Amino acid sequence: MSDIKRLVVNSGNLFDSLTGTIKENQTIVSKGNQIVWVGEAGSFEKEETDQIIDASGKTVFPGMIECHLHLHMNGETNMERATLRTKKDMYHFYSLVNAQKQLVSGFTCVRDAGSFTGIMPSLRRILDYGVFAGPRLVNSDKGIWQWGNQEEVYPESMIAWAREHHQVVAGVDSVKHAIRDLKFRGATFIKTATTGGVLHGMESKVSFSLWTDEELIAIREEAHRNDMHIASHAHGKAGIDKATIAGFDTIEHGSFMDEESADLMIKNGTYLIPTQMAAMGLVSPELMKTMPPEVQKKTIEVDSAMKINHKMAFEKGVKIAIGTDAGTPGNYHGNSGTEAVIMVKDVGMTPTQALQAATIEGAKAIWMDEKIGSLEKGKLADLIISNKNPLEDITVLQNPKNFSQIIKDGKVMVEKGVITYFSPIEKPPI
Ligand SMILES: [Zn+2]
């Protein structure tokens, strides 16, 4: 008989993310990192060594999934100053602590959408080994950028810094090489951009896409052939539509999408990751005063367009998963539950739909739905036991103290907002 003890979460009200319903008085049994049994409380066969958590009266739902963040960034309001004062090695530690903030806030899986080369693949392995408490990590490495559209107006010393963060590629062969190289370095998905960005320099346009159709198709073919999905940063319509038509899997931001873009995304099954928290962070007075006038104007336009267009997209039926761009200026780690609240208050989701967006829809968006996103036999044991029911009040997701336990890989990692998991040092994981 195996000496692996089972974890039993007993008699909870289970949120079935597949149907959007609550099933009362359900028990979940996990062994190792896997759910091995789900059913009516009392009808499972007890084992002497079972670790039993009483979840009666509590709501049990799948660990939430954050589809767009940057773990190495801390939300500093002065990015240039922070960059100049941060030695590259320090980003490893920032990434770990930010990953832990995400875990504590109920996100047991996060997708990192661009970092310095090497940091995320290493962190993913360390977290998979259980060396530290932290969420499951799906990671790009550095992003692949189109030539010239994502302008970096920096001194020469910082251009070198930027090159470690994203790589400019042009031409079909160059694109294919970049994707294979990223796979080799440990990326598990590809992050690219089909428009300029809000903060990427005054000349960085959000309104057009520089990639040729051949390059876009090459990105999709090569990434999918290597079992990696593709996320495209896209604010303007041209970049949103081109990425969707080329078969990319997720559109990040989607600020200036119109009804035609929404129809294309519905037809292609493309997910929208709204990241409204990013724009909200940027339009704060503290940040606005640090920006040149053109960037201020661009920021205000993006913020107001997102609010209108994401609501339109949802109403038409575009699939949406939760992502915040946490780490960008004024957008701090640990607040991703607020994006689900925004989906209810501003986009028009019901609390049930918002919790589905944060669980099963997130899993589908990032190709993880065979492993996570719902509480079923055979899936990984990532779950939250909450004292309050987020379907009655979605703002429950904003306060980690509501979660009595957060379990990842079958291990209780967080209790009442505090990390209680430490790696067993007598059993080195590697
Ligand atoms: Zn981002």
Side-chain angles (χ1 to χ4, degrees):
M1 201 170 124
S2 158
D3 63 349
I4 301 172
K5 288 180 191 168
R6 306 191 313 174
L7 181 69
V8 177
V9 176
N10 204 20
S11 305
N13 299 322
L14 188 153
F15 175 64
D16 180 348
S17 59
L18 301 172
T19 60
T21 54
I22 292 274
K23 291 179 179 163
E24 290 180 359
N25 206 26
Q26 297 285 303
T27 292
I28 300 165
V29 182
S30 62
K31 188 167 187 173
N33 66 352
Q34 227 177 30
I35 295 171
V36 293
W37 192 87
V38 183
E40 287 283 326
S43 59
F44 72 101
E45 281 181 38
K46 286 198 182 71
E47 287 181 11
E48 217 171 89
T49 55
D50 283 346
Q51 179 191 348
I52 298 177
I53 297 172
D54 179 14
S56 50
K58 298 183 180 183
T59 307
V60 181
F61 54 96
M64 293 188 286
I65 299 162
E66 195 351 323
C67 292
H68 187 132
L69 47 64
H70 302 275
L71 290 175
H72 72 288
M73 290 159 67
N74 297 313
E76 291 99 343
T77 50
N78 186 335
M79 263 171 98
E80 277 84 2
R81 185 172 186 278
T83 301
L84 288 168
R85 293 181 64 85
T86 308
K87 191 166 153 47
K88 191 185 158 200
D89 295 348
M90 291 161 70
Y91 286 115
H92 288 276
F93 301 101
Y94 286 137
S95 299
L96 174 61
V97 80
N98 288 329
Q100 292 188 327
K101 285 180 184 173
Q102 290 292 335
L103 177 74
V104 168
S105 65
F107 287 82
T108 54
C109 178
V110 303
R111 181 176 72 155
D112 189 280
S115 182
F116 292 101
T117 190
I119 295 176
M120 290 307 139
S122 301
L123 180 61
R124 173 168 51 80
R125 290 189 188 104
I126 287 291
L127 294 176
D128 282 349
Y129 289 149
V131 176
F132 293 101
R136 196 173 301 291
L137 180 55
V138 172
N139 65 283
S140 57
D141 189 63
K142 53 185 173 181
I144 55 172
W145 261 207
Q146 51 199 325
W147 206 97
N149 198 10
Q150 207 76 5
E151 183 183 339
E152 301 286 357
V153 188
Y154 291 138
E156 277 307 308
S157 58
M158 283 182 71
I159 294 286
W161 167 89
R163 289 271 157 83
E164 288 215 28
H165 193 276
H166 36 76
Q167 175 175 349
V168 175
V169 290
V172 166
D173 286 347
S174 173
V175 157
K176 288 185 175 179
H177 181 269
I179 288 171
R180 290 182 200 176
D181 190 48
L182 287 166
K183 176 87 177 174
F184 167 73
R185 289 168 186 273
T188 59
F189 80 100
I190 295 298
K191 169 72 186 299
T192 188
T194 45
T195 71
V198 180
L199 294 176
H200 297 122
M202 287 185 284
E203 298 305 317
S204 177
K205 300 283 188 282
V206 297
S207 57
F208 71 99
S209 174
L210 262 179
W211 294 109
T212 65
D213 292 342
E214 291 74 24
E215 287 168 331
L216 291 170
I217 288 165
I219 291 173
R220 187 249 299 153
E221 284 180 350
E222 200 60 23
H224 285 184
R225 214 157 63 83
N226 282 284
D227 200 24
M228 296 191 287
H229 69 274
I230 311 141
S232 187
H233 157 114
H235 286 287
K237 173 179 165 56
I240 294 166
D241 293 1
K242 270 174 168 274
T244 303
I245 291 165
F248 289 12
D249 304 285
T250 65
I251 298 292
E252 316 297 304
H253 320 306
S255 313
F256 298 104
M257 62 185 298
D258 63 8
E259 296 208 14
E260 189 185 25
S261 315
D263 288 337
L264 278 171
M265 289 175 73
I266 292 164
K267 182 168 160 249
N268 287 278
T270 318
Y271 272 86
L272 171 67
I273 315 294
T275 70
Q276 291 209 10
M277 297 273 291
M280 283 169 62
L282 290 177
V283 293
S284 69
E286 187 191 0
L287 267 152
M288 284 302 253
K289 70 184 181 204
T290 68
M291 299 174 191
E294 292 94 322
V295 178
Q296 283 187 9
K297 181 169 173 285
K298 192 160 65 168
T299 303
I300 292 166
E301 283 172 6
V302 164
D303 180 54
S304 51
M306 271 184 171
K307 289 191 170 82
I308 297 162
N309 295 334
H310 293 169
K311 189 169 181 2
M312 174 276 295
F314 175 69
E315 284 169 359
K316 279 186 81 84
V318 173
K319 296 189 284 188
I320 293 179
I322 298 296
T324 63
D325 219 355
T328 51
N331 183 12
Y332 304 99
H333 289 279
N335 300 322
S336 300
T338 299
E339 187 83 15
V341 175
I342 292 169
M343 291 300 111
V344 173
K345 291 192 170 160
D346 295 340
V347 171
M349 289 187 186
T350 62
T352 299
Q353 287 168 327
L355 194 56
Q356 286 176 312
T359 54
I360 188 65
E361 293 302 313
K364 287 179 184 169
I366 64 171
W367 292 12
M368 289 288 283
D369 54 308
E370 284 182 13
K371 294 181 177 166
I372 56 173
S374 60
L375 299 174
E376 297 173 89
K377 184 181 172 184
K379 284 205 173 178
L380 297 171
D382 294 0
L383 54 118
I384 296 169
I385 306 170
S386 175
N387 293 325
K388 295 182 183 170
N389 181 355
L391 304 188
E392 287 169 3
D393 174 10
I394 194 70
T395 65
V396 164
L397 301 181
Q398 290 177 295
N399 184 359
K401 293 218 165 73
N402 290 324
F403 308 145
S404 58
Q405 284 94 358
I406 296 171
I407 295 162
K408 192 203 91 181
D409 264 341
K411 301 181 182 88
V412 178
M413 293 206 159
V414 181
E415 291 172 81
K416 298 187 190 108
V418 178
I419 289 175
T420 52
Y421 169 85
F422 294 93
S423 180
I425 52 171
E426 71 277 14
K427 278 191 188 170
I430 301 163

